[in-house]
Amino acid sequence: MPTVTPTRPPSPARRFAAAAAAWGLGIFAVLRLSWVEAHAVLPLTQLQGRLAAGASGVPVLPVDVTLACSGTDVLAVCVAAILAYPARWRARLAGAAGGVLLILLLNTVRIATLARAVESPTLFTTLHLYVWPVALVVAVAAYVFGWMRLVDAPGVPVGGPPAAEAVPAEVRRPAHLRFVMLCGAFILVFAAASPLYLNSAWVLAVASVIAHAGALLLPAAGISASAAGTVLVTARGSFQVTQECIVTPLIPVYAAAAVAYAGTWRRAALALVAALPLFAALGIARLLVVALPAAMVGSPLFLIHAFYQLVTACVAVAVAAWWRHGSGAEAWRRAALAIACGGVILYLLAPVVSRVFVLAPPLSDEQGALTMLPAFQIALAAALWIAAFAPVRRAAFAIGLTALAGATIAGLAVLHLTAYAPHVRDVRAWAIVGPLLVIGGIGASHRPRR
């Protein structure tokens, strides 16, 4: 009597691999159509080139931005993996949109760095053929795996959505994912609009108001001061407030946080309106550092330039304490202790690092960002660890800090060998991002107590 042998259904991993391959081939084929390349891919790539030029300046030598610079191969793989994953379609589409945004942002940064490195053929080749291809793949892989972990979190459905009451609102609409996506979008807009605000008479008028406000407040601290236009004149020197001084990259990050975490559009609108007085107050506080004693701050100009970097570090430490310990008194105590310890570490390490830089070949470092970089990253990483994890996870912190120090030292060695002068904005960004990557790596294997 004939029998029917039941066939084993394909495993979820095989189904995912087959679906991802199908999606990838389909997306890749569509992006390679002549009409799509001419009317979508190439214009988008040229737009990224213009954004990169606006952010980094016009390169000394011409850089041809072609279809080879589009990043569509990585984009196809990223979107295919997300669309093939067994999650709700709403989550898939949101994840795919975030992946596309991330790739466009990274590709814009890639074009900008290549444009700045074009003067050095060795550095350009290294970045173009080795560093950036690996960086793009690693960043996209981290994003995809992070998104998968997010949609697989407890309470998030895999196949179809359960009843609405079974899924909390904060799980259905993760604020952290919205913040990351909005942050990337707002930073892109911020970079694209830089020619507008850096030459804006309105922003210059705000700069003049900040300079005069500083001149009014400094006499209360015993510092004679006056203002002429956008220049603050004191006994410790003259300080000009420009558009670049007050339009900080913290603004798009603040706007993204306001929209993502406000909860309602009314609260988001109020938070966005509050941005003007808030950043005006920060601009005034930035000038008031000239009132600090000379024994505490030898060069007020140095601290003025690093003001927003230090503010960003303090905010990052406070957020780390909140993320790990909630919004109660414990989080505030942790944040205060971490900021104090980080300040002490920076104060003790900065002179030592400065002496090492004196022995090294000179680099263009007018604002002292490169000189302060190693000490600042060690201090910030330690402060973040104290705020979030101390006294546990010491081994993971030591490994992460060692990797960060090695990456920074290797980067500085490359700069010395190639005599390449990075933009001070890029140096300050890496000063913050590096320690955050260390703490993020620790947190990836250690869920916060909530």
Side-chain angles (χ1 to χ4, degrees):
M1 184 175 181
T3 58
V4 178
T5 303
T7 58
R8 179 179 298 179
S11 65
R14 291 182 179 179
R15 288 198 300 269
F16 168 71
W23 275 108
L25 291 174
I27 295 171
F28 187 81
V30 170
L31 293 176
R32 282 294 184 268
L33 292 175
S34 300
W35 188 92
V36 175
E37 284 187 338
H39 294 85
V41 178
L42 184 59
L44 184 60
T45 305
Q46 292 173 341
L47 174 61
Q48 293 176 73
R50 290 193 293 271
L51 292 175
S56 64
V58 180
V60 177
L61 299 175
V63 177
D64 190 15
V65 181
T66 64
L67 287 172
C69 307
S70 63
T72 52
D73 298 345
V74 179
L75 187 146
V77 174
C78 174
V79 174
I82 290 175
L83 294 181
Y85 197 71
R88 290 182 303 174
W89 274 104
R90 183 176 180 180
R92 296 189 212 185
L93 294 177
V100 171
L101 185 62
L102 172 66
I103 292 170
L104 294 179
L105 174 63
L106 290 177
N107 202 47
T108 302
V109 176
R110 168 178 168 265
I111 295 172
T113 56
L114 291 176
R116 291 186 62 84
V118 72
E119 297 179 63
S120 173
T122 302
L123 180 61
F124 181 88
T125 302
T126 302
L127 290 174
H128 188 229
L129 298 181
Y130 303 104
V131 176
W132 268 113
V134 173
L136 283 173
V137 172
V138 171
V140 169
Y143 172 82
V144 172
F145 286 124
W147 175 83
M148 290 178 178
R149 181 175 180 179
L150 181 65
V151 298
D152 284 340
V156 179
V158 176
E165 62 272 13
V167 183
E170 63 269 18
V171 174
R172 292 197 304 270
R173 297 179 180 179
H176 298 319
L177 179 59
R178 290 200 304 271
F179 170 70
V180 172
M181 295 173 60
L182 289 172
C183 196
F186 290 173
I187 289 175
L188 268 179
V189 174
F190 179 82
S194 59
L196 300 178
Y197 58 74
L198 291 179
N199 298 288
S200 171
W202 291 94
V203 178
L204 195 63
V206 176
S208 178
V209 170
I210 290 175
H212 283 80
L216 290 175
L217 294 174
L218 281 172
I223 303 293
S224 60
S226 61
T230 60
V231 179
L232 175 69
V233 181
T234 71
R236 301 183 71 178
S238 299
F239 309 92
Q240 184 175 15
V241 185
T242 65
Q243 293 98 325
E244 191 174 8
C245 295
I246 58 177
V247 186
T248 163
L250 278 176
I251 293 177
V253 176
Y254 171 86
V259 175
Y261 296 108
T264 64
W265 284 108
R266 182 179 180 181
R267 292 179 180 176
L270 291 175
L272 292 175
V273 171
L276 180 59
L278 172 63
F279 283 95
L282 285 175
I284 295 171
R286 179 174 177 265
L287 288 179
L288 296 182
V289 301
V290 301
L292 295 175
M296 183 182 300
V297 182
S299 172
L301 187 60
F302 166 77
L303 189 56
I304 286 175
H305 285 310
F307 180 81
Y308 286 115
Q309 180 180 337
L310 295 171
V311 170
T312 304
C314 292
V315 171
V317 171
V319 170
W322 167 79
W323 167 74
R324 183 70 173 89
H325 302 284
S327 56
E330 174 64 17
W332 290 107
R333 286 194 294 268
R334 284 275 189 156
L337 175 63
I339 291 173
C341 291
V344 171
I345 294 172
L346 179 60
Y347 183 80
L348 295 176
L349 283 183
V352 178
V353 176
S354 299
R355 295 191 196 100
V356 175
F357 264 75
V358 171
L359 302 177
L363 282 173
S364 177
D365 189 27
E366 295 179 359
Q367 297 185 9
L370 280 173
T371 304
M372 188 176 69
L373 178 62
F376 179 87
Q377 287 193 318
I378 293 173
L380 178 55
L384 290 169
W385 176 69
I386 292 170
F389 296 107
V392 300
R393 309 295 291 175
R394 291 187 295 270
F397 172 69
I399 294 172
L401 187 61
T402 302
L404 174 63
T408 298
I409 292 172
L412 292 173
V414 170
L415 294 180
H416 280 292
L417 291 174
T418 59
Y420 174 72
H423 195 285
V424 65
R425 175 189 58 224
D426 303 332
V427 177
R428 298 196 188 283
W430 172 242
I432 299 292
V433 171
L436 288 177
L437 290 176
V438 172
I439 300 304
I442 299 175
S445 58
H446 188 76
R447 290 184 178 275
R449 294 195 309 254
R450 296 304 298 270

